[in-house]
């Protein structure tokens, strides 16, 4: 008899290798390659309904027009991230750190979904009693909302077959267990196998499936990363657990764009949607304090204002420290070098810290200028006026470059009540009585314009 084959997976990126390695050849992470015995058959998840017809390739022109059927989840911010509502028969993976609010979000959408659909919420994390308490708290108790506390995949699929829900929510993929796979719940082969079965269920029965998956920083358990390629849509729920703000972001979407974000606030009654993220991100901003400047970035189609904070202090000696939080590290280091060489600030003997408030990740060059101004403001110990924002990309010669959708960004700055905005000069834009534009050509001019007011 043939020996069952063994495969190896990286728990970090999901890469499969025939041999064990101390370092994953795909992502380069150390000690993340784990062994997992191959399951019987291929692909696993053979429990759902099987297609009996023979497969046949078909000319594209003969395919019937199929329009994806979308429905609103009742939460505008979630609909936005999904690309305009959830698609019938799709599988959406909702990932995030434990305790960030994934279960809360999913249970909350049940309340609205139940108005027109039958929803089954399967939890392997909480008992029915706990779910009841949580549903009471979130005020989502409905007759159409069925709950099941179960970790067995087969049992769950049986319940699905009996109840025939329109929407299935699985909380979480790490607690789901399939008997035919000989490894513990939460292992790579278990989560892959169970996801495959759920994917098949969604496609064959038209049930919309939401699957919750925990990610942890160490990547020690099989997280949503290894499932990304299988599912239709991957959403990440992010935010600092110590603040109230939560950001939902699409990492993959077969039915829409991935650049939209949804913003929520966690409160006593669960999550509430934040329709004006700029206002939220700027709340509590210290005015007239050195080392902070407001930037404007595009999150999908929406301009969002964010506060960039910098702290520059004399280094205690040795290699100066540089850290950045919410801002690309390499970009921050580059901006520091440009400030040193072209702005004349002696930063090489200073430690520099850059931080974006509110858990936002600024990965757009348009935020360069605000970072440069914040750094200079901290170094010179001069505050940036509270009614001033800065938009622009900084080049290696210290020149300022224009950015896309500048007029949209400027409108957002105006809407939020700012009076002055530093912008790249080479652009035929004009300010008005409400918002004065300060056109600058390089970082030297920008620092002077921003810190002299
Ligand atoms: P939860 O949805 O259980 O997180 P996850 O499923 O991602 O692990 O949410 C956990 C946190 O949210 C918990 O620490 C308490 C907080 N919370 C509130 O602040 N208000 C609420 O109404 C609820 C339900 C939870
Ligand atoms: Mg949970």
């Amino acid at each position: 008899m043939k020996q069952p084959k063994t495969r190896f997976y990286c728990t970090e990126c999901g890469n499969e290798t025939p041999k064990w390695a101390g370092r994953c050849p795909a992502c380069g992470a150390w000690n993340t390659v784990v062994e997992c015995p191959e399951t019987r058959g291929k692909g696993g998840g053979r429990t759902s309904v099987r297609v009996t017809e023979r497969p046949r390739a078909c000319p594209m022109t003969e395919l019937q027009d199929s329009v994806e059927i979308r429905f609103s989840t009742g939460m505008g911010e979630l609909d936005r991230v999904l690309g305009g509502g959830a698609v019938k028969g799709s599988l959406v993976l909702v990932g995030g750190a434990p305790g960030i609010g994934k279960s809360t979000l999913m249970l909350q959408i049940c309340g609205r979904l139940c108005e027109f659909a039958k929803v089954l919420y399967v939890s392997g994390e909480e008992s029915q009693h706990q779910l009841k308490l949580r549903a009471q708290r979130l005020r989502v108790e409905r007759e159409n909302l069925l709950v099941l506390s179960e970790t067995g995949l087969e049992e769950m699929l049986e319940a699905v077959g009996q109840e025939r829900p329109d929407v299935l929510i699985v909380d979480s993929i790490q607690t789901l267990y399939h008997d035919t796979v000989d490894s513990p719940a939460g292992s790579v082969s278990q989560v892959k196998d169970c996801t495959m079965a759920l994917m098949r269920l969604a496609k064959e029965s038209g049930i919309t499936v939401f699957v919750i998956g925990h990610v942890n920083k160490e990547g020690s358990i099989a997280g949503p990363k290894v499932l990304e390629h299988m599912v239709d849509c991957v959403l990440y729920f992010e935010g600092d657990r110590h603040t109230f703000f939560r950001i939902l972001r699409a990492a993959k979407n077969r039915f829409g764009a991935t650049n939209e974000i949804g913003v929520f606030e966690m409160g006593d009654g669960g999550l509430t949607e934040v329709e004006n993220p700029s206002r939220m991100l700027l709340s509590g901003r210290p005015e007239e304090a050195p080392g902070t400047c407001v930037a404007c970035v595009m999150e999908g189609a929406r301009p969002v204002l964010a506060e960039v904070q910098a702290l520059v202090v004399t280094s205690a000696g040795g290699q100066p420290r540089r850290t950045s939080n919410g801002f690309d590290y390499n970009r921050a280091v580059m901006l520091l070098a440009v400030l040193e060489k072209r702005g004349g600030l002696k930063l090489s003997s200073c430690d520099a810290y850059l931080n974006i408030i509110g858990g936002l990740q600024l990965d757009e060059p348009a935020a360069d200028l605000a970072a440069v101004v914040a750094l200079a403001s901290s170094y010179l110990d001069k505050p940036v006026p509270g009614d001033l924002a800065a938009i622009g990309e900084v080049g290696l010669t210290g020149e300022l470059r224009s950015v896309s959708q500048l007029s949209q960004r400027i409108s957002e700055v105006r809407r939020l009540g700012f009076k002055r905005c530093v912008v790249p000069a080479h652009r035929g834009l004009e300010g008005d009585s409400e918002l004065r534009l300060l056109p600058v050509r390089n970082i030297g001019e920008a620092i002077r314009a921003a810190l002299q007011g």
Side-chain angles (χ1 to χ4, degrees):
M1 211 180 98
K2 234 175 112 190
Q3 279 275 314
K5 251 202 268 162
T6 303
R7 290 183 295 175
F8 297 88
Y9 285 103
C10 168
T11 53
E12 195 72 29
C13 68
N15 179 57
E16 203 180 308
T17 48
K19 274 198 199 129
W20 186 84
R23 187 177 190 192
C24 171
C27 68
W30 288 96
N31 294 328
T32 53
V33 177
V34 293
E35 177 180 351
C36 83
E38 191 153 45
T39 54
R40 274 167 275 147
K42 253 207 145 124
R46 291 154 301 279
T47 31
S48 53
V49 203
R50 223 170 295 180
V51 186
T52 43
E53 274 176 36
R54 300 189 95 201
R56 186 178 73 89
C58 177
M60 187 65 109
T61 47
E62 278 177 29
L63 291 180
Q64 284 187 348
D65 288 343
S66 73
V67 186
E68 62 205 27
I69 305 168
R70 281 191 191 263
F71 58 91
S72 166
T73 60
M75 275 225 181
E77 293 293 300
L78 176 60
D79 287 349
R80 178 207 300 279
V81 180
L82 287 170
V87 174
K88 188 175 181 307
S90 67
L91 192 146
V92 179
L93 180 66
V94 182
I100 203 77
K102 301 178 295 296
S103 306
T104 308
L105 177 69
M106 286 296 117
L107 203 55
Q108 257 180 283
I109 63 167
C110 291
R112 297 279 189 81
L113 288 175
C114 282
E115 285 168 17
F116 59 90
K118 189 169 172 181
V119 184
L120 175 60
Y121 191 105
V122 181
S123 179
E125 309 235 332
E126 286 161 304
S127 66
Q128 272 163 328
H129 177 67
Q130 280 173 307
L131 285 168
K132 169 86 180 169
L133 287 177
R134 195 195 277 253
Q136 266 174 346
R137 200 160 147 207
L138 298 172
R139 299 204 184 87
V140 293
E141 298 158 277
R142 305 279 188 282
E143 210 179 311
N144 255 355
L145 173 56
L146 306 170
V147 285
L148 175 68
S149 188
E150 180 59 66
T151 54
L153 177 74
E154 310 267 348
E155 289 81 353
M156 187 196 77
L157 290 173
E158 206 167 293
V160 171
Q162 259 169 25
E163 300 293 347
R164 297 254 151 223
D166 303 295
V167 178
L168 170 68
I169 296 172
V170 179
D171 185 3
S172 66
I173 193 69
Q174 277 98 0
T175 55
L176 214 53
Y177 186 81
H178 192 189
D179 288 334
T180 59
V181 183
D182 188 22
S183 53
S187 62
V188 175
S189 40
Q190 279 289 358
V191 295
K192 279 193 160 183
D193 208 70
C194 293
T195 306
M196 202 81 90
L198 289 169
M199 194 68 191
R200 202 167 302 178
L201 175 75
K203 297 298 159 221
E204 285 168 7
S205 61
I207 298 175
T208 305
V209 184
F210 288 91
V211 178
I212 292 177
H214 297 291
V215 262
N216 67 1
K217 290 235 164 67
E218 298 78 42
S220 58
I221 49 164
K225 272 264 173 278
V226 301
L227 307 176
E228 270 182 4
H229 65 283
M230 291 186 199
V231 303
D232 293 317
C233 187
V234 182
L235 309 182
Y236 281 106
F237 208 29
E238 300 167 352
D240 186 349
R241 213 143 40 102
H242 308 292
T243 67
F244 305 115
F245 306 127
R246 302 284 182 271
I247 293 170
L248 190 67
R249 201 182 282 283
K252 166 180 176 178
N253 192 353
R254 284 194 181 144
F255 307 108
T258 52
N259 54 2
E260 293 289 351
I261 62 163
V263 185
F264 299 87
E265 190 174 349
M266 178 67 93
D268 287 338
L271 293 156
T272 41
E273 301 176 66
V274 176
E275 270 148 34
N276 193 344
S278 298
R279 188 151 292 148
M280 171 202 91
L281 288 164
L282 296 185
S283 65
R285 184 167 59 106
E287 301 222 350
E288 310 295 325
T292 143
C293 185
V294 172
C296 184
V297 289
M298 298 300 295
E299 291 288 356
R302 256 195 310 195
V304 172
L305 299 192
E307 183 189 348
V308 181
Q309 288 200 340
L311 181 66
V312 179
V313 287
T314 311
S315 180
Q319 189 84 349
R321 275 184 74 102
R322 271 98 174 78
T323 63
S324 77
N325 189 8
F327 196 93
D328 182 63
Y329 177 79
N330 291 326
R331 196 132 192 117
V333 173
M334 183 203 91
L335 293 175
L336 285 164
V338 174
L339 266 171
E340 169 115 26
K341 186 89 175 168
R342 309 283 165 217
L345 309 189
K346 294 274 159 283
L347 291 166
S348 54
S349 55
C350 294
D351 293 344
Y353 307 88
L354 209 55
N355 184 33
I356 310 302
I357 301 295
L360 208 64
Q361 196 71 34
L362 302 194
D363 43 18
E364 244 196 305
D368 286 355
L369 186 58
V372 161
V373 170
L375 286 163
S377 156
S378 177
Y379 177 85
L380 300 167
D381 212 19
K382 266 188 171 179
V384 177
D387 62 359
L388 183 140
I391 304 168
E393 176 178 352
V394 173
L396 286 181
T397 68
E399 88 277 18
L400 238 74
R401 313 192 73 106
S402 193
V403 297
S404 61
Q405 287 142 304
L406 189 57
S407 53
Q408 252 176 291
R409 297 177 203 251
I410 289 173
S411 308
E412 179 73 359
V413 170
R414 183 184 293 117
R415 196 172 70 83
L416 269 281
F418 285 78
K419 298 275 178 282
R420 285 170 279 183
C421 187
V422 185
V423 290
H426 32 77
R427 187 85 184 222
L429 279 167
E430 294 206 357
D432 51 34
S433 56
E434 260 181 85
L435 180 72
R436 194 151 65 88
L437 295 184
L438 309 172
V440 292
R441 279 167 304 182
N442 52 49
I443 55 169
E445 286 184 15
I447 293 167
R448 250 168 280 136
L451 299 180
Q452 256 170 15

